Amino acid sequence: KTKEPFTVEHIHFDKEGDPRYVEVHGYPIFDSDGNVVQMIEYSLDITERKNLEAKTRENVARFRSLFEDSPISLWEEDFSDTKTFIDELLASGVTDFRDHFESQPEDLTKCAALMKVLDVNQATLDLYQAESKEQLLGNVDKIFVKESSNTIIEEMVTLAGGSTTYEGEIVNSKMDGTLFDCIINISIAPGYEETWSKVFVSIIDITERKELERQLEFANERMSEELNFAQEIQMSML
């Protein structure tokens, strides 16, 4: 009908009756009037390739399930534009990134703005009270606040220094503006060390723990004040 070469996939069976995936190629041969009179056909056994593709799909599905169903907030991000900006700063002569970002906070803001969120899981939507992934996809700076600056500086200093991982405490903002304390863990995926184009981030909410720490610190301060007061009274009575 088309007089064009074609490629199709068949399932053939070997002598044991086991199925084999076969890729069939056909090429038409024409007579002097342009009519198809013969065909050259050859077949390639692609069973191993098909099995590998099926295994890959299975692994991707398993990874997707682990990602989506994890109780921990997980993010897939692209830091490639941030890496480009860091390289530009290095080329301009910047050697002390901590000092540079502290003296020029607008460059730190730019670093954060250049980080792109590619995907998040359901736990992330729940944690940040987002109605959909679209609220969090795009630029990651929407969850950062002024209180996040010190951690972002440490993150940039660590990654710019050649490390592929970073962990620290940071303050983030939920979609309604509520601030909360969390632990952020950043890992540049293997094979992407030169581009930072695939970065995995996990977030753990530690707000309750931090509040307990603050209450304990306050209680210790009150106890110390009361102890000092009692000692002063005791001394005055001597």
Side-chain angles (χ1 to χ4, degrees):
K1 291 182 179 180
T2 66
K3 297 184 179 182
E4 297 289 337
F6 70 90
T7 302
V8 295
E9 291 183 7
H10 288 175
I11 295 180
H12 293 177
F13 295 88
D14 60 21
K15 61 182 179 180
E16 283 79 24
D18 296 323
R20 306 292 295 182
Y21 292 96
V22 177
E23 187 175 80
V24 181
H25 296 255
Y27 295 87
I29 296 177
F30 307 97
D31 61 15
S32 59
D33 295 324
N35 298 311
V36 178
V37 293
Q38 289 181 313
M39 181 180 72
I40 296 176
E41 177 184 300
Y42 67 89
S43 300
L44 300 175
D45 188 336
I46 59 171
T47 305
E48 290 187 7
R49 190 190 81 189
K50 296 294 286 188
N51 289 340
L52 180 60
E53 290 174 353
K55 189 67 175 178
T56 300
R57 287 193 297 269
E58 180 183 338
N59 290 338
V60 169
R62 184 182 295 113
F63 170 78
R64 174 55 55 184
S65 177
L66 290 172
F67 180 83
E68 288 292 347
D69 300 332
S70 171
I72 298 175
S73 170
L74 298 178
W75 305 60
E76 181 184 349
E77 301 183 26
D78 179 354
F79 285 12
S80 57
D81 289 342
T82 302
K83 175 67 162 57
T84 298
F85 183 56
I86 291 291
D87 289 342
E88 291 174 354
L89 292 177
L90 282 170
S92 69
V94 174
T95 56
D96 189 333
F97 280 98
R98 183 177 287 104
D99 178 70
H100 177 79
F101 288 133
E102 288 176 351
S103 61
Q104 299 190 47
E106 66 277 6
D107 279 354
L108 183 66
T109 300
K110 184 174 181 179
C111 278
L114 291 172
M115 299 175 186
K116 294 184 178 65
V117 181
L118 303 179
D119 198 5
V120 297
N121 64 350
Q122 183 59 45
T124 302
L125 302 186
D126 297 338
L127 177 59
Y128 287 84
Q129 298 178 347
E131 295 181 357
S132 66
K133 289 188 178 185
E134 284 67 31
Q135 283 187 281
L136 294 172
L137 300 184
N139 293 341
V140 74
D141 59 336
K142 64 187 72 174
I143 66 169
F144 290 147
V145 291
K146 181 177 65 175
E147 291 84 352
S148 310
S149 298
N150 289 338
T151 302
I152 301 175
I153 288 176
E154 293 304 318
E155 174 188 335
M156 289 296 97
V157 168
T158 301
L159 297 182
S163 177
T164 58
T165 61
Y166 171 79
E167 182 176 307
E169 294 185 6
I170 192 171
V171 177
N172 272 184
S173 173
K174 299 184 179 183
M175 292 297 98
D176 64 358
T178 301
L179 303 185
F180 68 100
D181 297 293
C182 56
I183 291 177
I184 183 171
N185 189 294
I186 297 172
S187 178
I188 299 174
Y192 295 86
E193 296 86 354
E194 297 300 320
T195 64
W196 300 6
S197 59
K198 187 178 289 293
V199 179
F200 295 112
V201 179
S202 65
I203 301 288
I204 299 176
D205 187 352
I206 58 170
T207 304
E208 292 185 4
R209 192 193 82 185
K210 297 294 286 187
E211 181 59 29
L212 288 174
E213 290 176 355
R214 284 189 284 267
Q215 292 179 8
L216 181 60
E217 183 179 357
F218 177 73
N220 288 336
E221 290 176 354
R222 287 293 302 274
M223 186 179 297
S224 178
E225 292 173 357
E226 291 175 0
L227 180 60
N228 291 336
F229 181 68
Q231 290 176 338
E232 289 176 1
I233 293 178
Q234 185 177 18
M235 292 294 294
S236 64
M237 295 175 63
L238 295 178

